[in-house]
Amino acid sequence: MNLFRNRNFNIFLAVQALSVAGDSFSTVAIPLLVLHATGSVVQMGLLTGLSGAASLVTGVFAGHLVDRVDRRRLLIGCDLARAALYAAIPLVWMAGPQIWLLYVIVPLGAALGMVFQVAYVAVVPSLVEPDQITQANGRLYAIYAVGGIGGPALVGVISQAFGPVVAIGMDAVTFVVSALGLMLIRLRPAAAAPADRGGLLEGARFLWRHPVMRSLTILLTFFIFLTAGVDDVLIYHLKHDLGQNDDAVGLVLACAAVGAIVGAPLIGRIRKAIGFGNTWVSATTLSGLAMGGVGLATGVPAVAVLMALFVLGTAVAGICSQSFRQEVTPSHLLGRVTAAFWTVHYVLGPAGAALLTLGAAEYGVATVTVVAGAGCVLVSLSGLLTPMRRPLPPS
């Protein structure tokens, strides 16, 4: 079936675009809320690190949960729970700034987001044919990026006019609409799973025994350590170093999303032409070089272009690695393998986010982005020495 005629996939595509637009509201609005209330980039980094830690802990059981329950209902439940959490922020904030509340809601939202993302990856093969997985992931990334353009631009305007707390309230509404849309889709029945009770460890075993997945997991662990705090540092650079308003922050992040729109339709052809490993290495190298230049840029247009290149690289690498994982993993293991993959490669993310923002406060954004960008390039080029270089079947 042509993807354009696949009703279930198209509904899934539409509601997730809306959900991602809403996600961008909280991604931008929460750091702005912290910065408005405290003026501290370190607190921004601590929240980002706490969010990453919550995702890491949740990954221990998320895969087992996804492989054992109805995945569509799980997605709906995660959306409704996140709607309730983020709706609480504007309600409580009416009594005045309550930073403590963010330290409760942000990690809980991240935990639910982790479960949602594992389930989302697991349901894609149940919506499309096996030879359409890379194409489907490319369209999901592209439509997500479209939502990512409108979301940051709008949240910047709303935050400037009404404050970031209003933008967070709008995020809650998008989760409700996403849940309603997910109620309309139907998944293809999965093949009967073997009787096994392994949890995260079962997924980790699969990753370790597969030479390409093992190499990719190790490299991504270090890549994410170096890039986990990039959004916080970017916002701090625009607000503190360049003296820009909230709407400029939204505009830059919207322009950055263009990178995903450009990269998503190209991934299938690029992977077929140069192979999985070369595609991943080239894309992550581009991201590292772009990140290294962000802190050196002294104008908003230059920052926007560099962030677009950064997102272009991460989008191509992300689509490539996710599609490969979905292709080589048995359906009954996909939740646990995905959770193990993300849990392992996010293990250093919280520390990376905290160190990157602390470094920005102590030594300046230019210094930490150059060091982190150079580290990303070294990590990426290391992939040329692993089994990732071997030719792989095109998707």
Side-chain angles (χ1 to χ4, degrees), residues 348-371:
L348 297 180
L355 286 174
L356 198 67
T357 51
L358 183 61
E362 291 291 324
Y363 305 108
V365 172
T367 300
V368 297
T369 54
V370 168
V371 171

Side-chain angles (χ1 to χ4, degrees), residues 204-267:
R205 281 198 199 99
F206 182 90
L207 291 176
W208 183 253
R209 291 170 181 169
H210 196 290
V212 176
M213 293 304 303
R214 181 173 64 242
S215 301
L216 183 62
T217 304
I218 293 170
L219 292 175
L220 268 173
T221 299
F222 291 102
F223 186 83
I224 290 174
F225 169 76
L226 293 166
T227 60
V230 66
D231 283 346
D232 291 334
V233 170
L234 169 69
I235 292 172
Y236 183 68
H237 183 49
L238 290 169
K239 298 279 291 181
H240 180 268
D241 299 341
L242 303 185
Q244 298 297 315
N245 293 324
D246 291 355
D247 51 358
V249 173
L251 180 61
V252 167
L253 291 174
C255 291
V258 173
I261 296 176
V262 173
L266 302 176
I267 177 60

Side-chain angles (χ1 to χ4, degrees), residues 126-201:
S126 298
L127 290 167
V128 302
E129 299 301 323
D131 61 351
Q132 295 176 324
I133 289 176
T134 298
Q135 183 185 9
N137 285 328
R139 290 190 182 177
L140 281 165
Y141 263 79
I143 203 70
Y144 285 2
V146 171
I149 288 176
L154 186 57
V155 73
V157 173
I158 293 172
S159 179
Q160 187 67 28
F162 306 105
V165 71
V166 174
I168 295 171
M170 294 183 67
D171 186 23
V173 176
T174 65
F175 283 125
V176 173
V177 177
S178 175
L180 293 174
L182 288 169
M183 293 177 186
L184 301 177
I185 70 169
R186 294 293 181 269
L187 303 179
R188 187 168 55 245
D196 69 87
R197 297 182 178 275
L200 186 74
L201 188 58

Side-chain angles (χ1 to χ4, degrees), residues 71-91:
R71 290 168 175 171
R72 185 179 70 96
R73 291 179 181 176
L74 185 60
L75 288 170
I76 293 169
C78 287
D79 267 346
L80 292 177
R82 286 187 291 177
L85 281 175
Y86 287 112
I89 295 176
L91 292 175

